[in-house]
Amino acid sequence: MRTPWGARRDRREQELQSAEEFRSARRLAREDVTVLGEQVAELDVDLEGSHSHEVRDFHQEALDAYAAAAAALEEASTVQEVGSVEELLNKGRYARAAVLALRADEPLPERRGPCFFNPQHGPAVTTVSWTPPHGTEREVEVCRNDAVRLDDGEAPDVRQVRVGDRYVPWYAADDAAMHSWSSTANASTSGWLSSVAKAEAGTRAGVSQAGMMGRQ
């Protein structure tokens, strides 16, 4: 039979979990917003070249997406609202990639999902077969640099996130998500922020709760 004390404890644990999840999601999103801002600021925009009008438009689109993402993050009060920042970040990343392509007189990039190994790399350019350590082979969308690394037999540049007292590849932070991707034709980073935040929060909330119980 469930006791009032047990019910209160469960509610407290859920509140702690939710609070930690929100803090984790906000921190991860803030890292991505900061990186995008730095990437856009570093763009060398040629406004007198053959693609000057397109460059100007995409550059402005990148600036607007960065500003919108930063504003949305400041106003967010739930994990879901923080998660919506991902869409704005992806818009900014594509616009930045478009500026780089036009500057190099290359075709505009396809509108694909972000690089599987690190969304900060920007939109993917190809799909490759990849096998994670101790995992099964699956197809993932990757950026050009990671595709080259894999072709050369090197490890991809994977986003590392903190889970407990250690850093792990972001895709391994949530074992349940990793397991589900093993049978997916094209693994995606969609919703990765919420997934990783949940994994981080579960670990930290458990540690915090243990500390609280120890002081009682």
Side-chain angles (χ1 to χ4, degrees), residues 10-189:
D10 290 345
R11 285 197 300 271
R12 174 56 181 163
E13 289 178 351
Q14 182 58 49
E15 290 171 358
L16 182 61
Q17 170 78 15
S18 298
E20 288 289 355
E21 189 173 338
F22 174 68
R23 281 193 286 269
S24 293
R26 185 172 55 184
R27 178 180 56 77
L28 290 166
R30 184 173 290 115
E31 290 176 3
D32 282 358
V33 169
T34 298
V35 169
L36 177 61
E38 293 172 346
Q39 291 173 334
V40 174
E42 293 171 355
L43 284 176
D44 181 13
V45 180
D46 180 7
L47 298 180
E48 296 184 359
S50 57
H51 302 290
S52 59
H53 293 296
E54 287 181 288
V55 168
R56 184 188 304 109
D57 290 345
F58 279 117
H59 183 245
Q60 187 61 53
E61 184 177 328
L63 289 170
D64 291 344
Y66 162 70
L73 181 58
E74 289 303 314
E75 296 174 359
S77 59
T78 66
V79 173
Q80 290 72 24
E81 290 175 350
V82 175
S84 68
V85 174
E86 284 186 79
E87 183 178 352
L88 295 169
L89 290 169
N90 287 334
K91 288 182 179 180
R93 290 163 180 158
Y94 177 83
R96 170 181 175 269
V99 171
L100 293 175
L102 291 170
R103 192 179 67 185
D105 202 25
E106 297 177 352
L108 289 174
E110 296 181 53
R111 289 189 179 274
R112 305 178 65 153
C115 176
F116 173 81
F117 296 114
N118 188 344
Q120 294 173 353
H121 294 169
V125 299
T126 187
T127 301
V128 302
S129 295
W130 169 75
T131 304
H134 313 296
T136 57
E137 184 178 76
R138 76 283 315 277
E139 292 189 339
V140 296
E141 293 190 331
V142 301
C143 66
R144 180 179 300 174
N145 289 339
D146 278 327
V148 171
R149 288 189 182 93
L150 291 171
D151 282 342
D152 291 342
E154 300 177 2
D157 179 18
V158 180
R159 172 84 176 270
Q160 300 287 314
V161 298
R162 188 177 70 247
V163 176
D165 60 354
R166 63 194 178 101
Y167 281 83
V168 300
W170 79 265
Y171 54 77
D174 187 337
D175 291 338
M178 190 63 173
H179 178 73
S180 69
W181 289 332
S182 65
S183 60
T184 303
N186 182 22
S188 169
T189 57

